[in-house]
């Protein structure tokens, strides 16, 4: 989980090496987001809350760890929910130091508008919260403590320019992993609550074919995963056109695979025989559509579905 090289000390945000609670951890397009928690393995009265928002630029480069020290061992482990704005909107916050911990904009500069991102903390008797809101993705870690007064807290910050971790690979050899393996454009690769989501655009060598891939693994449930390819080989002179994260996906009215929780994700297509034909992938408010027009041809482009062998 950490990005440190062998023999190097972990950055503060990487010290949750075995988190019991994962609110969010991974990439939304090019931005890495983390909010996780675990007990200190060497002191059971302490809890680590690790946070980070970084995209490889100086403008979005904030990470660290909140150390929560309780008067005695709390019988309750940290938990997570999706209320990423609660730390900012709830009254009675006595968290020390400047707040929020980070506030800014993230996203692809070639495809505005950017999404707002906020990392904040809340401290009160019996509890410490860590919060992260990035566009439509909200995440909160709740640490319940045993004392009647607020627990002791301190914040350690990552050094500027801390390397970004590698993205989590999908299952080897599965259709849904092929876009990532080919070096395609990442829409999402993150754990959020009890799920992990992979959403990628393919890196197809042929100009007449373009693909989108999606996989979702959720605890205790059958995975969903598939690859959609739009093939314009039979429509001479036509090249698929990829459109970016804020584009309208209404042409993709047929859902191939998708889930609504913990965030809405789907792989979808236009109806069979549509001319032009579209395929779309959506993860929260991040969207990608590939559309093939048919000027000069009456033959509709082909849309090919390949499902993962374990997919629902």
């Amino acid at each position: 989980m950490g990005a440190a090289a062998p023999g190097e000390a972990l950055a503060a945000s990487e010290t949750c090496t075995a988190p019991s609670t994962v609110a969010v951890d991974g990439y939304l397009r090019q931005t890495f987001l983390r909010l996780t928690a675990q007990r200190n393995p060497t002191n059971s009265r302490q809890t680590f809350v690790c946070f980070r928002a970084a995209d490889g630029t100086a403008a979005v480069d904030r990470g660290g760890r909140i150390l929560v020290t309780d008067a005695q061992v709390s019988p309750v482990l940290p938990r997570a929910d999706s209320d990423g704005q609660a730390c900012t909107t709830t009254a009675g916050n006595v968290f020390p130091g400047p707040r929020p911990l980070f506030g800014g904009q993230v996203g692809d500069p070639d495809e505005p508008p950017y999404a707002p991102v906020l990392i904040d903390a809340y401290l009160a008797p019996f509890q410490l919260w860590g919060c992260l809101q990035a566009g439509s993705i909200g995440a909160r870690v709740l640490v319940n403590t045993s004392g009647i007064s607020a627990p002791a807290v301190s914040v350690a910050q990552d050094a500027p320019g801390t390397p970004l971790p590698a993205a989590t690979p999908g299952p080897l050899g599965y259709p849904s992993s092929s876009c990532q393996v080919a070096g395609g454009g990442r829409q999402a690769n993150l754990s959020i609550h009890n799920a992990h989501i992979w959403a990628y655009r393919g890196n197809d060598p042929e100009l007449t074919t373009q693909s989108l891939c999606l996989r979702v693994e959720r605890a205790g449930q059958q995975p969903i995963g598939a690859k959609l390819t739009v093939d314009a080989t039979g429509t001479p002179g036509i090249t698929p056109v990829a459109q970016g994260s804020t584009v309208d996906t209404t042409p993709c009215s047929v859902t191939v695979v998708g889930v609504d929780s913990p965030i809405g994700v789907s792989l979808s297509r236009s109806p069979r025989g549509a001319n032009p034909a579209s395929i779309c992938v959506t993860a929260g408010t991040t969207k990608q559509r590939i559309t093939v027009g048919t000027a000069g041809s009456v033959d509709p482009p082909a849309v090919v579905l390949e499902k993962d062998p374990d997919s629902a």
Side-chain angles (χ1 to χ4, degrees), residues 52-108:
R52 192 172 184 196
D55 64 2
T57 71
V60 183
D61 184 17
R62 183 63 56 87
R65 183 191 69 196
I66 303 170
L67 177 62
V68 186
T69 303
D70 199 359
Q72 58 189 44
V73 178
S74 172
V76 181
L77 288 172
R79 60 186 178 90
D81 64 22
S82 59
D83 195 349
Q85 300 184 26
C87 296
T88 306
T89 59
T90 304
N93 193 346
V94 295
F95 191 85
R99 297 182 37 251
L101 299 177
F102 176 75
Q105 303 284 325
V106 299
D108 186 336

Side-chain angles (χ1 to χ4, degrees), residues 135-238:
S136 63
I137 293 180
R140 177 173 62 157
V141 164
L142 302 94
V143 180
N144 293 317
T145 58
S146 60
I148 60 173
S149 60
V153 298
S154 61
V155 180
Q157 302 281 358
D158 288 354
T162 295
L164 293 171
T168 301
L172 184 64
Y174 280 25
S176 66
S177 301
S178 61
C179 296
Q180 181 185 9
V181 170
R186 180 175 57 223
Q187 307 301 305
N189 185 336
L190 78 165
S191 295
I192 180 166
H193 304 309
N194 292 319
H196 194 98
I197 298 164
W198 292 265
Y200 280 81
R201 175 187 167 193
N203 187 19
D204 301 271
E206 300 295 332
L207 293 178
T208 55
T209 62
Q210 292 290 323
S211 302
L212 295 172
C213 300
L214 176 69
R215 182 174 174 86
V216 181
E217 295 180 359
R218 294 180 291 175
Q221 300 187 45
Q222 186 175 1
I224 63 167
K227 175 183 181 180
L228 269 180
T229 301
V230 61
D231 187 348
T233 304
T235 55
I238 301 302

